[in-house]
Amino acid sequence: MNCIAVHRERAGIKQRELVAALGWTQTRLSNYEAGRRLPGLTECRAIISALNKLGAPCSLDEVFPPEPDVPRAA
């Protein structure tokens, strides 16, 4: 689960503005926001950089929270 849309919307950034900053298609960003596709580390860093440049201060872990450790049976 990611929080791309949450941070984008909190900062009043429209999806099309973030798409333009990234140089991507709207479909690509929409798929990442909805969790239909998983961005790689390079894409995650690009999203964070674009959000920051557009006025949404955030970090990688805030937008892409780490998965909690789940204890496994021995």
Side-chain angles (χ1 to χ4, degrees):
M1 178 70 182
N2 68 62
C3 303
I4 302 167
V6 171
H7 287 274
R8 179 180 56 73
E9 291 168 359
R10 267 193 212 146
I13 301 166
K14 296 188 184 304
Q15 194 177 60
R16 71 173 176 255
E17 294 171 313
L18 184 53
V19 164
L22 290 162
W24 295 351
T25 64
Q26 185 274 334
T27 302
R28 182 178 181 181
L29 180 61
S30 176
N31 283 335
Y32 289 151
E33 284 189 351
R36 288 185 292 269
R37 291 186 63 203
L38 297 174
L41 182 57
T42 300
E43 289 83 8
C44 292
R45 287 179 173 159
I47 292 166
I48 298 306
S49 177
L51 285 169
N52 282 296
K53 286 178 185 174
L54 292 171
C58 55
S59 70
L60 187 65
D61 283 349
E62 289 172 329
V63 179
F64 300 96
E67 299 281 328
D69 287 335
V70 178
R72 297 180 186 188

